[in-house]
Amino acid sequence: MSEKPESASNVAEYTVSEISGALKRTVEDTFGHVRVRGEISGFRGAHSSGHAYFSLKDDKARIEAVIWRGSMSKLRFRPEEGMEVIATGKLTTYPGSSKYQIVIEQMEPAGAGALMALLEERKRKLGAEGLFDPAAKRRLPYMPHIIGVITSPTGAVIRDIIHRITDRFPLHVLVWPVRVQGETSGSEVANAINGFNGLQRGGALPRPDVLIVARGGGSLEDLWGFNDEAVVRAVAASQIPLISAVGHETDWTLIDLAADVRAPTPTGAAEMAVPVKADLQATVATLGARLSAGMSRYLDRRRQAQRALARALPSADQLLALPRRHFDETAARLGRALQANTQKKRGEFDGCARQLSPRLLEQRIREKRREISILSSRLPRGLKVFVRDRRSLYARRAGRLSIEPTARLAERGRQHLQQLDRRQIQAVGLVLDRAKRRSGELERLLKTLSYQGVLERGFAVVLDPSGVPIKRAATIATGDELTLKFQDGEVQAVAKEGDERPPRIRTERPSPVKKPPVPSGSQGSLF
């Protein structure tokens, strides 16, 4: 048996497992249940096993945290990254990595202020995306056939809604059961909204005409699932009009802002969804009575008007008096007219019968046969003469169809075109000469009337600072800046004080110029 080596010290020796177990017992016995306040960090949602792993931190330290699946399902809100919470649990160590951690049994937001700050931030974010835009909200159908309700199947809310709908207007109600509190409530509500929108019309499960998302009252933490971003986006994307009935009238969530209509209570949502059947029946009965009374009054007025028109019309005897008399007179003349017509026709038939005797018919037949035999004997000679005449006619016409007349006609046309071309050139030359003479006359007249000719004779034009000619000396004040325009340039000048009489400016009136005569054929004035 081998001897153990002697230790150099009397300090107790532990294995790694022993020291880790001792530390675990010390930490658990010393701290037991604690409440830790910190900010959630590294939260990525629940693991596939249902557990959640993250950290709690403040500005100086950090501690690992874990929530087992049983405790996770009992939370009244869904943890999120950056949320400040107060966690209750016990401290322990994890021997596998020599780390200590807190096993959280309960967790709540660090006061309503933290949740409200997170709610306001989410509200601003989703509002900036247009999910709360009033223009995108749809009107509720006045008379829905099917109503879809998304709520807990065991609470009093669904019983109140069904009872209220049954009292007002019994309809087909589809209930999609969901959790209305806890971490998974938001995802279940969003899936229910998307599921109702995914139903096809005419399918095995009918598609609702309006949706109601309902829950009873509660604290901000209890209603936190209806502030979930997935719920808000599902409500905004819903093609079915949706009524939000979450909490009491004083409670509000983000689903209220995204819904098409917000109801103060679940019972109020049922009242908004369907009208009162008794009221509709009373309205229909009232309208039916008004319609019957209106039709009766209308028929009475039409009947009175008809009787008034009937009194203004003549009677049947008056209308038929003249036609009846005419008919009687015609009937009296009809017998005599038939007899006379019969005698006339009998005389005509007798005359025709005398002409249709067998002897006369045989005589006419012999005459026609003789005429036919004469024509038959003349036919060959007539055909020969006709053919000879046609041949001579065709020969004469063929002689006239030579190329020489056509060539002569073409030559005459060519000579005529050449003559027209020469006349055109002469006419264009005359027009251009006339225009040149007219242009020269207008240019000389322009030079005569222009003030440039006056400037060339030694005169000047006085202009004010804006370049407008000054016509009278009385409009010039002492110190005014003037411009004197000569024939070869301009000179700046300043008016000085003179005598009391206004200065006289020598001007020269241009001699009148006689307008040149307007050439014949031109129209309009010279200017």
Side-chain angles (χ1 to χ4, degrees):
M1 185 173 180
S2 59
E3 298 180 356
K4 294 182 180 180
E6 295 181 359
S7 174
S9 174
N10 58 357
V11 177
E13 183 179 288
Y14 299 95
T15 64
V16 175
S17 299
E18 290 174 346
I19 195 67
S20 296
L23 288 173
K24 179 179 179 67
R25 288 190 298 273
T26 301
V27 171
E28 291 178 352
D29 294 342
T30 302
F31 293 96
H33 280 77
V34 295
R35 285 170 60 88
V36 180
R37 185 189 186 103
E39 179 183 334
I40 296 178
S41 176
F43 183 79
R44 297 294 181 269
H47 194 264
S48 59
S49 61
H51 313 315
Y53 303 93
F54 54 95
S55 301
L56 294 177
K57 67 176 183 178
D58 56 13
D59 56 344
K60 296 180 180 179
R62 178 189 186 99
I63 183 173
E64 299 295 327
V66 60
I67 304 179
W68 304 127
R69 180 175 59 185
S71 301
M72 190 72 177
S73 61
K74 296 178 182 179
L75 294 180
R76 293 186 299 176
F77 71 100
R78 181 178 179 181
E80 295 187 9
E81 180 74 15
M83 181 184 293
E84 187 176 3
V85 297
I86 299 177
T88 303
K90 61 180 181 178
L91 290 180
T92 184
T93 62
Y94 180 59
S97 60
S98 298
K99 293 181 179 180
Y100 67 93
Q101 62 185 6
I102 180 173
V103 178
I104 300 175
E105 297 176 357
Q106 295 179 359
M107 187 167 62
E108 58 187 9
L115 285 181
M116 289 303 298
L118 181 62
L119 183 61
E120 290 297 331
E121 180 183 358
R122 186 174 296 173
K123 178 182 176 183
R124 287 193 298 271
K125 173 187 173 184
L126 299 178
E129 297 181 14
L131 300 184
F132 305 146
D133 186 7
K137 299 185 183 299
R138 293 166 294 275
R139 297 182 59 182
L140 299 180
Y142 181 74
M143 186 67 69
H145 296 84
I146 301 173
I147 299 178
V149 180
I150 302 172
T151 187
S152 173
T154 59
V157 172
I158 185 61
R159 292 195 297 272
D160 293 343
I161 292 177
I162 294 177
H163 177 70
R164 195 59 177 164
I165 291 176
T166 304
D167 288 345
R168 291 174 65 86
F169 202 116
L171 294 175
H172 187 187
V173 179
L174 295 178
V175 180
W176 194 300
V178 295
R179 293 186 180 92
V180 294
Q181 184 174 335
E183 181 188 2
T184 62
S185 63
S187 59
E188 291 184 15
V189 172
N191 293 334
I193 295 173
N194 295 330
F196 271 132
N197 279 271
L199 297 178
Q200 300 295 328
R201 296 191 181 276
L205 190 63
R207 175 177 174 145
D209 299 316
V210 64
L211 298 180
I212 299 177
V213 179
R215 187 202 187 280
S219 63
L220 180 61
E221 293 83 359
D222 296 336
L223 304 179
W224 189 254
F226 295 93
N227 294 318
D228 192 276
E229 183 175 344
V231 174
V232 177
R233 294 188 182 277
V235 172
S238 175
Q239 299 299 320
I240 303 175
L242 188 142
I243 303 174
S244 171
V246 177
H248 298 301
E249 187 171 0
T250 57
D251 301 326
W252 70 273
T253 57
L254 294 182
I255 191 177
D256 297 332
L257 303 178
D260 298 305
V261 177
R262 178 185 182 271
T265 61
T267 303
E271 294 176 355
M272 292 180 179
V274 295
V276 180
K277 185 176 182 180
D279 294 344
L280 292 179
Q281 291 174 342
T283 302
V284 171
T286 302
L287 294 177
R290 291 176 60 187
L291 178 61
S292 299
M295 287 300 298
S296 298
R297 290 192 299 270
Y298 175 75
L299 293 176
D300 290 340
R301 288 196 300 268
R302 299 301 297 178
R303 192 176 294 110
Q304 293 174 4
Q306 184 179 7
R307 285 196 292 265
L309 293 175
R311 286 193 298 269
L313 292 175
S315 62
D317 294 337
Q318 294 175 350
L319 291 175
L320 298 177
L322 292 177
R324 185 180 293 114
R325 179 177 179 181
H326 179 68
F327 178 77
D328 294 339
E329 294 176 352
T330 305
R333 294 195 302 267
L334 181 60
R336 295 191 299 272
L338 287 177
Q339 294 176 1
N341 188 37
T342 301
Q343 294 176 359
K344 180 180 178 182
K345 293 299 182 182
R346 183 178 291 111
E348 293 177 356
F349 290 154
D350 293 342
C352 292
R354 288 192 296 270
Q355 295 178 3
L356 294 177
S357 62
R359 184 173 56 81
L360 291 176
L361 289 176
E362 291 176 358
Q363 182 179 357
R364 288 187 177 182
I365 291 173
R366 286 194 300 270
E367 291 177 355
K368 294 299 181 181
R369 285 178 179 176
R370 187 167 51 255
E371 292 178 359
I372 290 173
S373 60
I374 294 172
L375 292 175
S376 298
S377 61
R378 295 171 59 185
L379 180 60
R381 186 172 64 256
L383 287 175
K384 291 180 180 179
V385 173
F386 177 78
V387 171
R388 185 175 62 253
D389 294 341
R390 288 296 178 182
R391 285 179 178 175
S392 61
L393 177 62
Y394 291 156
R396 290 195 301 271
R397 291 183 177 179
R400 291 199 298 268
L401 295 176
S402 63
I403 196 172
E404 293 180 359
T406 304
R408 288 194 298 271
L409 182 61
E411 182 63 24
R412 285 198 299 270
R414 190 181 298 107
Q415 294 175 0
H416 183 64
L417 287 177
Q418 292 176 356
Q419 183 179 4
L420 291 177
D421 190 16
R422 289 193 298 271
R423 293 176 60 185
Q424 178 186 3
I425 294 174
Q426 293 175 1
V428 171
L430 291 175
V431 172
L432 291 177
D433 291 343
R434 187 179 301 167
K436 289 179 180 178
R437 290 195 302 271
R438 177 63 175 164
S439 177
E441 293 173 357
L442 293 176
E443 183 177 2
R444 289 192 298 273
L445 180 59
L446 178 62
K447 289 182 179 180
T448 302
L449 299 178
S450 176
Y451 72 94
Q452 294 292 341
V454 178
L455 295 181
E456 290 176 0
R457 294 200 294 273
F459 292 94
V461 178
V462 182
L463 305 176
D464 61 7
S466 60
V468 179
I470 299 175
K471 299 181 179 180
R472 298 183 181 276
T475 60
I476 303 175
T478 302
D480 288 348
E481 294 183 358
L482 305 175
T483 301
L484 302 180
K485 184 173 182 180
F486 296 89
Q487 187 271 334
D488 56 349
E490 296 178 354
V491 175
Q492 302 297 327
V494 178
K496 295 183 178 181
E497 182 178 4
D499 54 3
E500 296 180 355
R501 295 178 299 172
R504 301 181 61 186
I505 300 177
R506 180 183 178 186
T507 59
E508 179 177 334
R509 183 183 302 273
S511 59
V513 180
K514 185 177 181 181
K515 295 184 180 179
V518 179
S520 61
S522 61
Q523 298 180 358
S525 62
L526 297 176
F527 303 101

